Amino acid sequence: MSRLFGTDGIRGIANVDLRPSLAVALGRATAHRIVGAGGALVVGQDTRRSGDMFVAAITAGATSLGADVHRVGVVPTPALAFLAGEGEFAAGIMVSASHNPAEDNGLKVLDAAGLKLDDALEDDLEALIWRAHELPGAAPEALGREFAAASLVERYLAHRLGLAARVRGTGLHVVLDLANGAACAIAPRILEATGARVTAIHDAPDGDNINRDCGATHPESLAEAVRRLGADVGFALDGDADRCVAIDATGGLVDGDQVLGVLALERLAAGTLPDGSLVVSVLSNGGLQQAVETAGGRIVPTPVGEKPIPAALLLSGAGPGREKTGPVPI
């Protein structure tokens, strides 16, 4: 039997090979292994039609074992991670298939620090999922409760607006492709707080158009909009806003290593790059390492994959970090 958890949670076609019964089992397993009776779990989703179904299933599973579930609704994955790591919750579950088509969905479990689970804990959860029906349920008087908690997103927004205010006055014209996804209501407000003029495109989610010919995996229309509007820069997010692609003023694609290099060099010059270090996977361009080291910084290399990046950031005290993804068409 293949492993349930892949590189980014449990994925599949909604209601076909990823069924609500599995989400119920995950809710029960997470409540049993991580949250505990009387503990709290925060759950978010992107804009896919199937998201409500999976959130309801997770909620049923977790509350049946006595855990409280706080449903924050549609939020970017970084926002859900921020809320999970605030200390109020024992874990978080994000319902999203990231940059995949609308018919797909996924279940991603985060720990109390807002980080992805290590492989050993995922293995524990997977073993519990297969026998979730055997887990002892809570007594009627000890069942968990469900809370509508969309207002919690304001905490994330306030934090990001505070960061944006530090660079107030950019005056840039930014085109923002929101992939008809989870960041439609949040990302423009954050960029506008820097003083930028923001033109949003693909910002009308209908449950079925997430990532469709738009967003980080399809930045062609963003490039066209940047050229047509004479904008300074464009950014394309994916459906859950944990991926970003940049477009320059000519409509050209900017490699992610270049973006990271600009950030690192600016912070090195200002003395604000933690430990003077940058975390990247071994797939990153050697030119990035040369540029950073020439400026007096250092590169912390990691194996390929998402999990080694935050692990290296925590261990080294470095920042920021980036995982290199596959090629993006333009």
Side-chain angles (χ1 to χ4, degrees):
M1 186 178 295
S2 61
R3 192 172 188 267
L4 278 179
F5 286 91
T7 57
D8 200 21
I10 302 172
R11 295 277 183 91
I13 300 175
N15 217 32
V16 178
D17 52 7
L18 180 60
R19 297 178 179 271
S21 56
L22 180 58
V24 172
L26 176 64
R28 289 175 65 84
T30 303
H32 178 82
R33 177 63 178 82
I34 303 176
V35 180
L41 172 70
V42 61
V43 180
Q45 63 190 94
D46 65 20
T47 57
R48 292 164 213 271
R49 181 187 295 270
S50 61
D52 290 346
M53 175 181 73
F54 286 117
V55 171
I58 291 166
T59 301
T63 54
S64 73
L65 264 72
D68 290 339
V69 176
H70 296 250
R71 297 172 56 159
V72 296
V74 173
V75 293
T77 289
L80 196 280
F82 175 87
L83 294 173
E86 278 205 301
E88 182 178 347
F89 303 105
I93 298 180
M94 181 67 188
V95 178
S96 173
S98 193
H99 58 280
N100 287 9
E103 58 266 27
D104 293 347
N105 217 325
L107 311 171
K108 183 187 307 183
V109 185
L110 305 174
D111 64 18
L115 300 175
K116 293 182 180 180
L117 305 183
D118 62 39
D119 290 343
L121 186 49
E122 283 187 346
D123 289 342
D124 288 349
L125 281 185
E126 184 161 331
L128 289 170
I129 286 171
W130 295 125
R131 59 182 189 87
H133 62 285
E134 301 174 4
L135 299 175
E141 66 275 10
L143 290 171
R145 297 166 297 170
E146 174 192 352
F147 296 92
S151 61
L152 291 178
V153 181
E154 292 300 318
R155 299 183 190 175
Y156 171 79
L157 184 58
H159 179 268
R160 292 309 194 255
L161 290 175
L163 296 178
R166 298 180 185 179
V167 291
R168 176 91 188 156
T170 63
L172 296 175
H173 181 190
V174 179
V175 181
L176 187 58
D177 180 348
L178 294 156
N180 295 311
C184 287
I186 292 180
R189 291 178 62 185
I190 295 172
L191 280 182
E192 286 169 351
T194 68
R197 177 163 63 96
V198 177
T199 299
I201 62 174
H202 303 301
D203 59 341
D206 62 10
D208 299 309
N209 61 359
I210 186 172
N211 299 317
R212 183 191 296 162
D213 299 323
C214 60
T217 54
H218 295 281
E220 302 90 347
S221 61
L222 173 63
E224 187 279 329
V226 169
R227 289 192 296 265
R228 173 171 48 84
L229 296 171
D232 296 296
V233 66
F235 296 105
L237 306 178
D238 68 345
D240 68 332
D242 67 352
R243 178 181 296 212
C244 179
V245 166
I247 298 292
D248 66 21
T250 70
L253 182 68
V254 182
D255 185 83
D257 282 342
Q258 290 178 278
V259 175
L260 197 61
V262 168
L263 293 173
L265 293 177
E266 188 275 335
R267 294 185 184 185
L268 276 170
T272 58
L273 184 67
D275 196 44
S277 301
L278 188 66
V279 175
V280 296
S281 81
V282 293
L283 295 179
S284 285
N285 192 296
L288 174 61
Q289 178 174 352
Q290 182 178 359
V292 170
E293 291 179 347
T294 299
R298 72 183 183 99
I299 292 291
V300 178
T302 73
V304 176
E306 290 187 6
K307 291 182 180 179
I309 299 289
L313 288 170
L314 289 172
L315 288 173
S316 69
R322 170 184 180 264
E323 181 206 13
K324 189 177 182 70
T325 57
V328 176
I330 190 71

